[in-house]
Every structure is written in C-alpha cells, then in structure tokens.
Amino acid sequence: MYQIATLFEKFPIVSHSRMVNRGFGVWLVWGESLEESIVRSLSDFGGMLMSEVQNQAYWFFFSDDVFRVAARLEIWARLNPMPVFMQIMPATLLVDYSLDLSLKVGDEFTSQEVALPKEFEVLVHPHLADDVKKISGLNLEDVRTPTGISRSGWIAMIPDQGLGYDSMQSWYFILIPVGNPSDKDFIKGWRSFFSEIQVLMQKLGIHYITSDVKVILPIGSLSLLRTFLRELLSVISRARNNEGEVHYWPTVMALVPQMNMSFNDEILRKVHLDWDKLTPDCPHLRYRDAYLLGDDFVINEVRFGSEQETVDSWCHVSLRKGIKDLSSNAIEVTISRRVSVGDMDDCFYCGMKNHSPAQCPSKQLKGLDSQVWKNLAAIDNDKFNEGFQNIDLQMQGKENLVGEFSKLVAGGSGYEGIITKALFAINAVSQLRTLYMVWRSRGKEWPRGIMDQGPEEGELIWSAFDSLAGGAVGDAELLTKNAMIRFSRSYQPRALIGFIELENGNGEQAYFYWQEAERLSFSPLQQGYFIYLQGRMLEVRGDFGEASNTFRRASRLCPEWLDPLYRRAVCMVKMGFAEQAIPYFEDIIERDPHYFNRIAIDPELDRGRLTVLQALGQLWEKAEAEAKEVASGMDTLTVDLSQWFEEGHEFAEEAAKFMERMSKLVKIKNYVAFKHLTSGIARLTQEIDKRVEYEIKVINKKLEIYREELLDIQREASWFPFPKLLTEFNGDFNYCADKIYWIKTQILNQAETFRKTQQYLTGIDERLKKLRHRLVTLRVIRDSTLFVMLLGRSFIWLEVIFLGLALLCIPALIYYSKNFPTNFMIDMIIRQKWEFQQGMILILSILALAISAFRAAVVFEKKKRELFLLEEEKEEERKKK
C-alpha cells in the first residue's frame, strides 16, 4: 500500500505565510515506472511537483487546467493502458517569506493509502464537482470508494473523447524600450537589439504587433513561455556581455494574462502597470506564473505594489546560475510557407495542403531511393533553412506551385532540390511507387522484403497502373474494373482501384478496397502495406486515434518496419499529444538516425513542432558532444593503428580507408553524421580489438607450428656427420629458437610488443624457409652416408667370405684333380693358377659389391626408421625426466 503521509512529511513547515492561494492538489500513484510524457503533460498544464517518493508524487495546480490534463491523460490511457491512480482534491498553497512553497490539505486526506493501480483511474473530490461541470465535455459519475481512501463520496470524471481539452493558459508579452524614441542612439541601439529578438520570435513561430516602439506578442502555452523566456534572457545576457554583433539596449518587459483581451495595441491601456518602475531586462510576471516556469528560473521580488501580497502580485525572474539556452541551433528549421500553407486538405501522398492527390508531384517518382536521406544527411543541419528559403524564392510570384515542385523533384539541384526530394520521401510508403514495388516483391516482411523484386507478371493491371500514374484516371478505372472481373481473387486490382477512388475524392471507398486487398493478400509484407494505407486514410481524414491504432497493427505485423511507428507518433502529435509522442520519436531515431532529419523537415508536425524539436534538441546536443569527443580521439586511434599493424597489413589498409570516410563525417554538422561517426569509430575500435585477439591466436598457433618444425629440423640435422660445416645453418636455427622463446615470454596485448612480434614472425618464416631448403642437402648427405655405411659393412663381410673361398678354390682343385681323368680345362687352370685366382678374386669382389648394394637398398629405410625412432624415444625419455 502507498501512503500519502510519506509525501506530506517532506513539506516544510510554514509558521507565517507570505501568500496563500487555494487550488487543486493531485495525488499520483503509478506502477513500475511513470512515463515521462505524463510528467511533461502535467508540467505543461501548469502543474508544480511538490513532493515525490517511490512510485507516488503530489502535484499542485492553480487553475482548473488540472481537469483538462486529467481528461487528456484519460483519453490517452484508452489508447495506451497504463497503471496510474490520480486523485484530485482541494489544497492550499503556502508561500513563506523566503518564497519557498508548502501545502495544506484537509485532515481527511492525510491518512489515505492505496494499493498498486492496475489501470488508469481518476477520482475527483465532490467539492470540486462544480469546477468540473464548467468545462465542456466533462461528465461525472459516482463510483465505489476504494479501500484506504477517505469517505468523502469520490466521483469519477468521464471525458468526451471528441474534444481536445487544451490548456486555457495564455498570455501577452510586452516589451518597451527605455529612452527617448527620437534619440539617434535609441534608434540605432533598439533597432539592433530588436532584430535579434525578431530572429528569436521567428524561430519560435511567434507573431507580434508593434505600437510605436512597443512590442506585443502572444504566448499560447506554458512550454512556449519557458522556451521564450529562457532564450530571451540568453539573448539579453549575450548582448550585455558584447558577445556578437548585437547592440544592447535596456528594455522593460512584462507578461500579462490574456483574459479575453483582443490581440491589438489596446492591450497597453488595459494593463495597469507603472512601466517606469519596472527593472530593465527582467521579465515581470505574476507569482502564480513565475512558479510554473520550473527550476531553471529564479524568482525575484519587486519593490512596488500593495503591502498585501498574493500570488497575483508582480515579481520578475532571471535564469538560474549555470542554466543556458537549452534549445539547439542544429534543429532551428523554419518550414517554407509554400510547403506548409494551403487551402486544401492534407495530400494523401505527401501531406502538403497546396494540391490534391491527383496533382501530387510524387506520382512521377519511381522506387524507394534511400539515397535521398543519405543526401540530406550529407549537408549541415543549418542548410535546411537555406533550402526552404530557396524554395520560397524560386516559387515567389509563381501560380503553378505543383509544376515548380515537380521540377525540383525531377532535377532540382542545390539544397532546395535535396530538401524537396526528402519532403516527398517522408510519406513514400503511401505513394504509387511503393504499390508498384509491392506488386513485384517476392519478400515476406518489411523492410528488407520490399527490395527482393521480381519481374512484372501480367499486362492488364500494369497498363492500368501506368494510366493512373500518367493522370488518365478514367482509363485506369476501366482497365482496373476489367482486371477485377478477370482476376476476382487477386489483391492487385483492388489495391489499384483504392488509389483511383482516392484521386476521385472517395476516401471511404478507397478505405474499403484496401481492406479487401488486405484480406486477399498472402504475405505479411502485403498485409502490412494495406493496413498502413488504411491508417494513412484515417489520418488524412482527421480520425487520428483510430489511425494510431491501425498503424500499431501494421507495426505488430512487421516489427522491424519503422514507418508505421513514425506515422503513429505523427498522429499523436496531431491529436495534441506531442509530449507522449516524444518517446516514440526517440526510439525510432535510436533505431534509424535518419528519422531525426525527417522529423526536422516534416510539415505535418506543425501542431506540436516546437515541443518535438525542443526534445530532439537534447538528442542533438548529446550526439554532438559524443561526436566531438570521438573526433578528438581519431588522431590517437590512427597512431594506435600504426603501432599495432605494419604498413601494408591487410586490416591496416581497410582501417585507413574507413578512417578517411570518418574524417569526412567530422566536417558535417548533421545528427546522422554525428551518430555514424560515433558508431563507426566504436565499431572500428571493436574490430581492432577483435583483430588483435585473432592475430594473437594466429601467432600462438604459428609459434607451435614453428616450434615443431624447428624440432624436426634439429632432429634431422643432428645426424649430419660433419657438424663443423653447419655454421650458417646453426646461426639461422638459433635465431628462430631465440625469437620464438622471446615471443612466448612476452605479453602480446601491448602494441609495441605485438608489432615487434609480427616483425619477428616474418624473420622466423624467412629463415625457416632457408633452413628447410638447406635441410634437403643435409638429408641427402646424411642418407648417403648411412647407405654407404650399410653397404660397406655388408661388402666387408662378403669380401672376407669370398676371398676365403677364392684362396681355397685352387688348392682344392689341385687336390681333387688327381682323382679325375686328365682334363684340358683343369690342366689350364692349374698351369695358370695365379692368373685364375686373381680373376676370381675380382669377380667375387664385384659380386660382393653388388650383393651389398642390393642388401643396403632393401634394408635402408627400415634401418633408418629404427635408428631415428630410437633417437626419438630417447628424446621423449629425457623430456619426461
């Protein structure tokens, strides 16, 4: 249970009140988190956050705008359910002599407690029923009092969804320069100073009138008032400090409530202020208005007026120390009047008001060209204004605006061409060119599926499409109806007849045909597209709530598709929920930074444009600061690259080219460039870390391979019979061994060590190649030596045996010849016994050599394996020991 007492404990005790004012207190309790849009809405309708603890807060309102904002949130909760409990009760604001605030409420409220809410609920105290009934569209009904709430007979507020419930807060701001209007210095100084204020008013879209030298301008919302006063005080500060070329001129100024006063110079007579007593350069306003400005402003009391002070008494405000202009120059985009102004309804295709859908220049476009947004992101943000100004200049005095826009779309150059093409790309999904791509698409889901294009199939429907794109609506209608008869189960004719009905002015029929096309579609891409078209039709008809739900349905069907989310946020702005749309815009921009530029130039955001652009200004400042920080470290990153990788390294060359592209982005003052620069450098940094990690793994793997190869070389070379001839060989071997040992003992995550290791690896690889080449010769000599030894051993034994046989042969022959009859051959051998014995020795020696060579060849491989295996076993035993 959440207890309201924990909130009241934080209020200071006021023993003597300087000012007392009755108003409305709001006890707010929420679930896990409270949407920022709710806080922004309460603040913009004049709410002051008095106390806050976990999941509950207490707000105070001076006026009945509390019921209007509650009604708006109630309507919003019907579209987006949220667990929030809101209780509105009478409350009294106390202001002490230090201008600090406290609250006083009835004892019946101080002991209340409530459980965690499950849905949005608003309870109103019965004493406030008359205040609620004064507001048109608000109804009341009795409800059962929840457990823990005071037994006062609480009532629920039921708002009419068709009403807007805008804040009734509005003011006139008056500036009067001090001095003699006929003085030359006055004329020069005031004219220069006022020119700067004119720029400010133009940027904020504020109109004004002048009476003599007095300036009167209307302020229609609290958020606009905060922005205007903040920037006005910043302008005054810069002028007084001689920052820039603006001349300073003292000016008295005051903010007065409109109170049904017409916007004319009669306001000056109706405002009862002694202008001669006002402090120059300080905006004067009522305390009740000053307290609504927030923490950025300091309230200062004035020394005139009645002794009895109220919240309607006058004070003046100044910027709190350290607070500067919070708006961003980067998104100061003034939409061209030729784009935003017109007498017609919003064009279905592009959103402009100066032509009908049948005349839209977008009909000449083909394909979804992403280059449009890349071109817009490639120019500085302040060039957007120049582009819009060029559009106005080019069309000045021209009657055929559609023709001029068509020229810019077809071949416009310069900033105006880039801006115009981007304007017609904002709603590209609802244009005919997308229908053409959907028909040919073979993909299943947005956005990637639309790029998978197949050939045109059939003839009749394509002829109808060409007729519609060319402006021949009658021919297109005839061909399409024939196609509907021939292909009764095809979605294509119904899709096209929807566009034909659109251009004929039959929006309801177009909506119906797109519903039919959705039912006949067979892929999420096609279904999502036709749901999107239905949402767009509801949007241009002004049914923003239903359109928002329809776009949400399309986004659920294709979650990665951002266009429905963007249109839903635009619908929220058109409904008056600009504050609630901001989180959606921020989420879309986070997913695709190009949407930042789309928002900046979108003319359909006119109703909440200032609120949206102010919120996006914070995104700009954050992105710009991050980009500057990243840009300042790019030189260091380039040096790091050169330290990690040698010149000519594959990764180093790719990284250098990437850094060149990033260097170009540094010069562009555009949100997209900021984000791409930040993300690109972050990605490159990650790639460097990944590459270094990969290279270290490769190095370790190479070291193992080199080590094994060196061991093999060592084993092979150890059998070489002439070690003194291996001086150069041993030098290369020792170099490789030393470097491998050095690398194994180093920390490779350091740039200097990493790069030196790469150099050493190159040297090791080169020397290993030399060692392998020389090892071939060593192996030949080694194997030859072994073969000769095997051959020599066999030859010696055979030669001894054969010599013995040769020596015994002649005596044996003489001995045994006595037993044989006389034979010519034996007699000849005996007579030439020494010559015969020499010949026999020679023959036996040759035979012994031949047999030895044959035997050595047969047993060579076996003996070599046995010999080297024995050596390997000994080496392994030494390692184990």
Side-chain angles (χ1 to χ4, degrees):
M1 301 291 284
Y2 293 93
Q3 299 177 345
I4 196 173
T6 58
L7 294 169
F8 290 128
E9 291 173 358
K10 302 183 69 175
F11 292 146
I13 298 175
V14 179
S15 56
H16 295 86
S17 300
R18 180 174 181 173
M19 290 175 281
V20 178
N21 188 81
R22 294 185 179 274
F24 307 91
V26 178
W27 181 27
L28 207 65
V29 181
W30 58 89
E32 294 182 359
S33 61
L34 183 65
E35 292 185 12
E36 182 63 27
S37 59
I38 296 178
V39 177
R40 191 181 292 111
S41 297
L42 294 173
S43 178
D44 288 345
F45 273 71
M48 294 189 296
L49 179 60
M50 305 298 295
S51 177
E52 183 178 13
V53 294
Q54 184 179 9
N55 290 84
Q56 58 174 328
Y58 199 93
W59 291 71
F60 179 82
F61 286 78
F62 286 105
S63 69
D64 59 2
D65 269 0
V66 62
F67 304 114
R68 294 183 176 85
V69 70
R72 287 169 65 90
L73 295 176
E74 177 92 19
I75 296 173
W76 171 249
R78 294 174 186 174
L79 300 175
N80 295 271
M82 48 188 174
V84 177
F85 171 79
M86 180 182 291
Q87 185 186 48
I88 306 175
M89 65 189 75
T92 301
L93 182 71
L94 306 178
V95 184
D96 65 12
Y97 283 89
S98 298
L99 299 180
D100 294 326
L101 302 179
S102 186
L103 276 177
K104 181 180 180 181
V105 297
D107 293 335
E108 64 175 306
F109 307 124
T110 57
S111 59
Q112 294 184 114
E113 60 181 13
V114 68
L116 186 69
K118 297 182 179 179
E119 58 184 7
F120 189 85
E121 183 181 7
V122 178
L123 297 182
V124 181
H125 195 274
H127 290 174
L128 306 178
D130 292 337
D131 297 292
V132 177
K133 293 176 182 178
K134 293 177 184 178
I135 302 175
S136 176
L138 293 184
N139 300 311
L140 297 171
E141 67 176 22
D142 295 330
V143 295
R144 181 180 178 182
T145 303
T147 304
I149 302 299
S150 69
R151 302 295 179 178
S152 303
W154 296 88
I155 51 181
M157 187 174 65
I158 311 299
D160 185 349
Q161 191 168 351
L163 300 180
Y165 302 106
D166 293 327
S167 173
M168 301 303 293
Q169 297 177 109
S170 57
W171 302 267
Y172 290 119
F173 194 81
I174 303 170
L175 299 96
I176 302 177
V178 177
N180 184 1
S182 60
D183 186 76
K184 291 182 179 180
D185 292 335
F186 176 96
I187 296 172
K188 180 180 178 181
W190 169 243
R191 183 177 298 172
S192 175
F193 182 64
F194 181 63
S195 65
E196 186 71 6
I197 298 178
Q198 281 181 306
V199 173
L200 169 60
M201 291 188 292
Q202 182 180 5
K203 182 180 73 171
L204 298 178
I206 301 174
H207 303 287
Y208 67 93
I209 59 174
T210 58
S211 176
D212 295 329
V213 293
K214 303 175 180 67
V215 182
I216 306 171
L217 51 110
I219 304 291
S221 68
L222 186 56
S223 60
L224 179 60
L225 176 62
R226 293 191 186 104
T227 302
F228 174 75
L229 289 181
R230 186 186 299 115
E231 296 200 29
L232 176 63
L233 290 172
S234 297
V235 169
I236 294 172
S237 176
R238 291 196 300 268
R240 295 179 67 172
N241 294 330
N242 295 321
E243 298 176 9
E245 300 179 357
V246 180
H247 294 282
Y248 164 72
W249 192 260
T251 308
V252 294
M253 52 196 73
L255 181 79
V256 298
Q258 288 192 7
M259 297 177 63
N260 299 320
M261 291 188 293
S262 300
F263 184 36
N264 53 46
D265 57 2
E266 292 295 317
I267 296 172
L268 293 170
R269 292 192 303 101
K270 298 177 181 180
V271 176
H272 302 292
L273 264 177
D274 188 351
W275 297 96
D276 293 334
K277 291 185 178 180
L278 301 187
T279 304
D281 307 325
C282 295
H284 290 72
L285 64 169
R286 301 176 302 171
Y287 278 107
R288 67 163 62 236
D289 297 326
Y291 278 114
L292 301 181
L293 295 179
D295 296 333
D296 291 349
F297 296 86
V298 176
I299 300 175
N300 308 294
E301 57 182 318
V302 297
R303 300 298 182 181
F304 64 87
S306 61
E307 294 182 1
Q308 182 61 39
E309 287 186 302
T310 67
V311 291
D312 291 316
S313 300
W314 291 93
C315 64
H316 66 75
V317 296
S318 58
L319 278 179
R320 191 175 298 277
K321 186 177 180 180
I323 299 297
K324 298 182 179 179
D325 180 10
L326 298 181
S327 64
S328 173
N329 294 329
I331 54 172
E332 293 177 6
V333 180
T334 304
I335 304 294
S336 166
R337 290 183 59 81
R338 301 292 183 182
V339 173
S340 60
V341 177
D343 299 327
M344 300 183 181
D345 295 332
D346 291 354
C347 174
F348 180 89
Y349 293 133
C350 68
M352 295 187 189
K353 302 176 184 293
N354 51 32
H355 60 261
S356 65
Q359 301 171 320
C360 187
S362 68
K363 295 175 68 176
Q364 63 182 298
L365 297 172
K366 295 182 180 180
L368 298 177
D369 186 9
S370 60
Q371 190 62 37
V372 171
W373 299 113
K374 293 179 181 178
N375 292 339
L376 190 64
I379 63 176
D380 291 347
N381 203 273
D382 56 6
K383 300 301 181 183
F384 293 1
N385 282 332
E386 186 174 340
F388 280 118
Q389 291 171 4
N390 291 343
I391 292 174
D392 278 339
L393 291 174
Q394 184 168 331
M395 298 186 180
Q396 189 172 4
K398 304 288 181 62
E399 295 183 359
N400 186 10
L401 297 182
V402 176
E404 295 299 322
F405 274 117
S406 298
K407 292 178 183 178
L408 287 173
V409 169
S413 58
Y415 299 130
E416 63 274 16
I418 295 175
I419 292 293
T420 303
K421 291 172 185 176
L423 285 171
F424 285 100
I426 292 175
N427 295 310
V429 177
S430 60
Q431 296 167 7
L432 284 175
R433 50 175 166 164
T434 305
L435 175 67
Y436 177 83
M437 298 187 69
V438 170
W439 283 353
R440 292 178 53 195
S441 175
R442 294 181 298 192
K444 299 299 181 182
E445 289 191 7
W446 290 87
R448 294 183 180 178
I450 196 66
M451 306 312 295
D452 185 8
Q453 294 285 292
E456 295 180 3
E457 296 179 356
E459 296 180 1
L460 193 60
I461 194 65
W462 298 106
S463 299
F465 178 87
D466 293 337
S467 298
L468 179 60
V473 181
D475 295 342
E477 186 172 3
L478 180 61
L479 291 170
T480 304
K481 288 182 178 178
N482 290 334
M484 290 176 66
I485 296 172
R486 291 181 58 183
F487 310 103
S488 59
R489 300 301 299 170
S490 174
Y491 74 91
Q492 290 178 315
R494 285 158 181 79
L496 188 59
I497 197 68
F499 282 97
I500 293 172
E501 294 293 346
L502 166 70
E503 297 197 7
N504 286 333
N506 301 322
E508 293 183 1
Q509 284 297 313
Y511 184 83
F512 167 76
Y513 282 117
W514 287 331
Q515 285 181 319
E516 288 289 314
E518 177 197 348
R519 284 191 286 270
L520 295 174
S521 300
F522 50 83
S523 71
L525 183 145
Q526 296 165 358
Q527 293 170 354
Y529 171 67
F530 293 117
I531 294 172
Y532 181 96
L533 293 180
Q534 296 169 40
R536 178 62 177 167
M537 178 55 68
L538 292 169
E539 179 187 351
V540 297
R541 285 164 49 187
D543 194 351
F544 303 123
E546 186 63 26
S548 178
N549 290 332
T550 304
F551 286 126
R552 178 165 56 181
R553 189 157 62 95
S555 65
R556 286 176 178 173
L557 197 61
C558 301
E560 300 299 320
W561 192 20
L562 298 182
D563 286 275
L565 295 176
Y566 178 74
R567 296 267 28 115
R568 183 173 181 234
V570 172
C571 287
M572 293 163 60
V573 174
K574 291 181 176 181
M575 291 169 65
F577 294 111
E579 300 88 353
Q580 286 81 1
I582 290 172
Y584 291 91
F585 283 132
E586 291 176 344
D587 177 61
I588 294 170
I589 291 170
E590 181 67 24
R591 296 167 67 177
D592 185 356
H594 286 288
Y595 276 87
F596 187 97
N597 293 334
R598 182 179 297 202
I599 294 169
I601 67 172
D602 194 344
E604 295 190 62
L605 293 175
D606 186 60
R607 184 175 184 183
R609 182 174 183 78
L610 178 62
T611 302
V612 173
L613 293 188
Q614 283 179 338
L616 297 187
Q618 299 179 15
L619 295 181
W620 172 277
E621 291 179 357
K622 180 180 178 181
E624 185 179 30
E626 291 176 350
K628 287 181 178 178
E629 183 178 356
V630 169
S632 64
M634 287 180 63
D635 292 337
T636 304
L637 185 60
T638 302
V639 173
D640 289 344
L641 274 170
S642 62
Q643 290 179 344
W644 281 104
F645 303 100
E646 293 181 332
E647 186 177 354
H649 191 280
E650 176 187 0
F651 179 79
E653 290 181 353
E654 294 177 358
K657 294 178 182 178
F658 184 81
M659 289 295 289
E660 288 181 8
R661 297 197 297 271
M662 293 296 102
S663 298
K664 295 178 181 178
L665 291 180
V666 173
K667 302 175 182 179
I668 302 175
K669 301 300 180 183
N670 190 293
Y671 181 84
V672 179
F674 293 156
K675 297 300 289 184
H676 285 177
L677 175 64
T678 305
S679 61
I681 295 300
R683 188 168 61 253
L684 177 59
T685 304
Q686 293 176 356
E687 289 296 326
I688 292 174
D689 294 338
K690 290 180 180 178
R691 185 69 182 204
V692 169
E693 184 178 353
Y694 169 77
E695 293 280 354
I696 290 175
K697 291 180 180 178
V698 171
I699 289 171
N700 291 328
K701 187 67 176 177
K702 283 185 176 181
L703 289 178
E704 292 299 322
I705 295 173
Y706 289 161
R707 179 176 175 276
E708 292 298 326
E709 194 167 355
L710 276 179
L711 290 175
D712 290 340
I713 292 172
Q714 184 184 31
R715 284 193 295 270
E716 297 283 348
S718 64
W719 292 92
F720 187 70
F722 312 109
K724 291 185 178 181
L725 301 178
L726 299 179
T727 304
E728 186 177 354
F729 183 92
N730 291 334
D732 292 337
F733 181 89
N734 292 335
Y735 173 87
C736 295
D738 291 342
K739 298 311 179 188
I740 290 175
Y741 176 78
W742 183 87
I743 295 172
K744 293 289 282 185
T745 58
Q746 298 300 312
I747 300 175
L748 300 182
N749 287 321
Q750 297 176 356
E752 183 179 356
T753 305
F754 179 81
R755 181 168 178 174
K756 188 179 291 185
T757 297
Q758 290 181 315
Q759 295 173 348
Y760 286 161
L761 286 177
T762 303
I764 292 172
D765 191 61
E766 291 176 353
R767 302 205 180 203
L768 279 175
K769 289 180 181 178
K770 292 168 62 178
L771 289 173
R772 285 192 293 267
H773 180 72
R774 291 173 180 168
L775 190 61
V776 174
T777 304
L778 295 183
R779 283 173 178 166
V780 171
I781 298 174
R782 180 202 65 187
D783 292 349
S784 300
T785 304
L786 179 61
F787 184 83
V788 170
M789 291 175 66
L790 292 174
L791 184 147
R793 186 177 66 174
S794 299
F795 176 76
I796 290 172
W797 284 107
L798 288 174
E799 185 71 9
V800 170
I801 294 171
F802 286 167
L803 287 176
L805 291 175
L807 293 175
L808 293 174
C809 181
I810 297 300
L813 182 62
I814 295 172
Y815 176 78
Y816 288 109
S817 64
K818 297 177 180 179
N819 300 322
F820 294 101
T822 305
N823 188 291
F824 170 76
M825 288 295 296
I826 294 175
D827 293 338
M828 185 182 65
I829 292 172
I830 293 172
R831 284 195 305 269
Q832 299 179 1
K833 56 181 177 293
W834 298 115
E835 289 81 0
F836 177 79
Q837 192 171 32
Q838 290 176 359
M840 190 174 182
I841 290 172
L842 179 61
I843 293 171
L844 290 176
S845 298
I846 294 172
L847 179 63
L849 181 62
I851 295 173
S852 300
F854 177 77
R855 183 179 181 280
V858 171
V859 303
F860 174 76
E861 290 296 331
K862 179 180 178 182
K863 291 293 183 179
K864 185 174 71 170
R865 283 197 300 270
E866 290 177 354
L867 189 62
F868 293 160
L869 181 62
L870 180 62
E871 183 65 24
E872 289 178 0
E873 291 176 354
K874 292 180 179 180
E875 182 68 22
E876 289 179 0
E877 290 179 1
R878 282 197 297 270
K879 288 182 179 179
K880 290 179 181 180
K881 292 179 180 181

